[in-house]
Amino acid sequence: MIDQFVPGGTKMIFLWLIPLLAFADPVVPDCGCNKAKRSPVGGQEQPTEQVIFPKLAKKQYGERLVDLINHSEKFNAMSLIPGGKYVIGTREPIFPEDREHERKVAINAFYMDKYEVSNGDFREFVEATAYESEAERFGDSFVFHGFLDEEVRKKFHDFRVAAAPWWYKVTGASWRHPEGDPSRNVEDRLDHPVVHVSWNDAVAYCDWAGKRLPTEAEWEVACRGGRKQKLFPWGNKMMPNDKHYMNIWQGEFPEADLAEDGCKGTCPVDRFSQNTFGLHSMVGNVWEWTADRWDEEEKVSPPNRVKKGGSYLCHESYCYRYRCAARSQNTEDSSAGNLGFRCAADPE
Ligand SMILES: [Ca+2]
Ligand SMILES: [Ca+2]
């Protein structure tokens, strides 16, 4: 069921600053989400000032309405995000090394998928094109230890990510078999986000759909839903009215996910409506690839690409990256069980 979006309050902002400051220490534990990489990266360890709803003349509202009504099939389940000048990032970076500082951007109006691309969507693409994902070609992908039984953990004990030993490189793991178990597929979770897809896979899917990956600026403007300097798509309070607005981790990471938000692992892509644009699970559920390179100056091949939004594995104590301003990266050929994407499109 789709939850109705209820804007969060801002009264608790000062109480929120307390935990934020507590985690401002440069030695911050990390979930290792960016460590599960296929390719080594240069010596590293392997493994607005804006109003989004501008005051429009009545005539312009009419044109916008016509635009929405006449949208082609391509724009079904997409939201029109207004172009303009925006400010992304944050004045109070939690992870300065991630370069999540404030910066000004300008974007054109574009359409954004309301939902993360689902297993059902990706299966349709594969059936139409016989596309083979990179994880299938490599023969393995990174799986979180919580989804592996003891026997499998023993078998792949030596294939863990050194800096984040809860990530196992599991033979046979792919979008078809997210746990690497050939007897388990995605038939019972076609409405969940596709995972174990690389950046290259995401580009191939969006291209097939007549779309493209969003840039990081587009992704973040869409995430913010017209709000300035807020932590989350709906405001600053993580749980307005004690209600869960995203699929992240509750409990002691990485051992005990209490799943108080109703989801252990991925949840259906339409579970959490998060902002006034009608976008779902921008933060939480799965990380989402963007078109941008992590660092234009970086001389690595394949390059790292920016991913946004955090995932069901994120917890404030380890990976406080389920914020619109937060960012991370992986190499183009990397895939993992908590990394997916959604597409954007230009108005025709
Ligand atoms: Ca959860
Ligand atoms: Ca997401």
Side-chain angles (χ1 to χ4, degrees), residues 247-248 261 263:
N247 176 20
I248 54 175
D261 53 25
C263 316

Side-chain angles (χ1 to χ4, degrees), residues 23-94:
F23 287 103
D25 189 296
V27 184
V28 180
D30 195 285
C31 65
C33 290
N34 61 343
K35 307 289 193 311
K37 295 185 182 193
R38 269 191 203 293
S39 317
V41 179
Q44 291 179 16
E45 285 171 297
Q46 171 117 347
T48 55
E49 295 307 315
Q50 45 81 25
V51 177
I52 248 169
F53 298 114
K55 287 179 182 168
L56 299 176
K58 278 185 181 172
K59 183 169 174 285
Q60 287 175 295
Y61 273 121
E63 288 169 358
R64 175 69 53 79
L65 195 60
V66 168
D67 184 23
L68 289 170
I69 291 171
N70 292 339
H71 66 287
S72 68
E73 194 172 329
K74 183 165 88 177
F75 300 134
N76 277 336
M78 297 187 92
S79 293
L80 182 62
I81 314 298
K85 292 179 179 175
Y86 297 92
V87 175
I88 62 171
T90 173
R91 292 175 199 144
E92 299 172 3
I94 309 294

Side-chain angles (χ1 to χ4, degrees), residues 213-240:
L213 279 179
T215 64
E216 179 183 13
E218 288 173 335
W219 191 99
E220 192 165 327
V221 167
C223 181
R224 291 178 178 279
R227 292 164 172 266
K228 296 182 211 170
Q229 283 294 325
K230 299 287 190 252
L231 290 167
F232 311 115
W234 54 88
N236 273 329
K237 194 174 181 184
M238 190 168 86
M239 291 178 61

Side-chain angles (χ1 to χ4, degrees), residues 83-151:
K85 292 179 179 175
Y86 297 92
V87 175
I88 62 171
T90 173
R91 292 175 199 144
E92 299 172 3
I94 309 294
F95 299 105
E97 69 276 19
D98 286 354
R99 290 175 284 130
E100 57 182 50
H101 56 275
E102 199 174 67
R103 57 249 192 238
K104 292 178 182 173
V105 297
I107 60 167
N108 295 322
F110 70 104
Y111 284 92
M112 185 70 150
D113 281 350
K114 288 183 179 174
Y115 312 107
E116 295 153 333
V117 171
S118 70
N119 285 315
D121 297 331
F122 201 78
R123 185 176 70 173
E124 197 180 329
F125 159 58
V126 167
E127 285 177 352
T129 62
Y131 183 83
E132 194 177 24
S133 68
E134 283 200 283
E136 290 172 288
R137 275 178 268 153
F138 280 114
D140 53 38
S141 187
F142 292 95
V143 182
F144 182 68
H145 71 174
F147 302 120
L148 303 173
D149 61 32
E150 271 311 310
E151 199 178 320

